[in-house]
Amino acid sequence: MIFKEIKYLKGNSKGIIYLFFFRVSSYFTKNIVLKIIGFPVRIFYHFLFQWILGFDVYDTTKIGKGFNVYHGFGITIHKDVIIGDFVKIRQLTTIGNSKSNGKTPCIGNHVDIGAHCIIIGDIEIGDNVSIGAGTIVTKSIPSNHLAYGNPIKIVEKKDV
């Protein structure tokens, strides 16, 4: 599966490197035996990506196939966020809860998230959604819509 994803990401070397290490580290979270065997791999992943590169995404986060990262610096994704297939994300983006122990977003398939977005709270982002750079998303966005601005404006893609 990982090699199909890498083929999808061709030309995005940073995205390929991130995705490869994320998938390998995630593999070692499946059960206690794998956690013990993969402990050094997971430590390496956390140290390199979270501490050094500023890419704060836990290896237990549920991320679908074809996850595409552009300019990976400053991305933070809460461990309880669910991300669908073929999602694109750019630098300085935060996805998480709006209060301590609060619920987190669920992001659909084929979502394009612009740079410096904040997506927080118990919300759902539908399929085929585009979120413009700098948008603060605190409410759900239906499928096939475009969201942009602060305060957020949501329009159907066919109207754009």
Side-chain angles (χ1 to χ4, degrees):
M1 178 177 137
I2 193 165
F3 295 108
K4 286 182 182 179
E5 287 185 283
I6 288 172
K7 189 175 179 181
Y8 170 75
L9 301 178
K10 72 179 180 180
N12 180 3
S13 57
K14 285 182 185 178
I16 290 169
I17 290 168
Y18 168 70
L19 186 66
F20 177 79
F21 280 102
F22 174 80
R23 294 290 185 219
V24 169
S25 188
S26 290
Y27 175 77
F28 291 109
T29 66
K30 302 218 181 282
N31 63 48
I32 191 69
V33 173
L34 288 173
K35 283 182 182 178
I36 293 168
I37 293 169
F39 183 73
V41 173
R42 295 185 70 213
I43 290 297
F44 174 76
Y45 170 81
H46 286 276
F47 179 74
L48 178 63
F49 286 93
Q50 293 179 315
W51 288 81
I52 302 298
L53 299 177
F55 197 90
D56 197 4
V57 181
Y58 285 89
D59 54 4
T60 56
T61 305
K62 292 182 178 112
I63 297 178
K65 64 185 175 195
F67 185 62
N68 202 344
V69 175
Y70 293 99
H71 317 296
F73 181 76
I75 293 175
T76 302
I77 301 175
H78 191 279
K79 64 182 175 70
D80 295 332
V81 170
I82 298 171
I83 298 177
D85 296 338
F86 303 106
V87 171
K88 294 178 186 175
I89 189 170
R90 289 167 185 80
Q91 72 272 15
L92 299 169
T93 295
T94 299
I95 305 172
N97 53 10
S98 57
K99 58 185 174 185
S100 183
N101 297 320
K103 293 192 176 196
T104 58
C106 180
I107 298 175
N109 301 320
H110 300 280
V111 175
D112 192 350
I113 301 171
H116 211 283
C117 288
I118 299 172
I119 304 170
I120 57 172
D122 184 14
I123 60 173
E124 290 188 26
I125 308 297
D127 296 337
N128 304 309
V129 168
S130 295
I131 301 173
T135 302
I136 298 176
V137 181
T138 57
K139 59 184 177 180
S140 294
I141 303 171
S143 293
N144 303 307
H145 279 69
L146 168 70
Y148 63 93
N150 183 16
I152 190 171
K153 294 175 183 73
I154 300 172
V155 296
E156 265 191 274
K157 282 192 175 180
K158 67 179 182 179
D159 293 340
V160 179

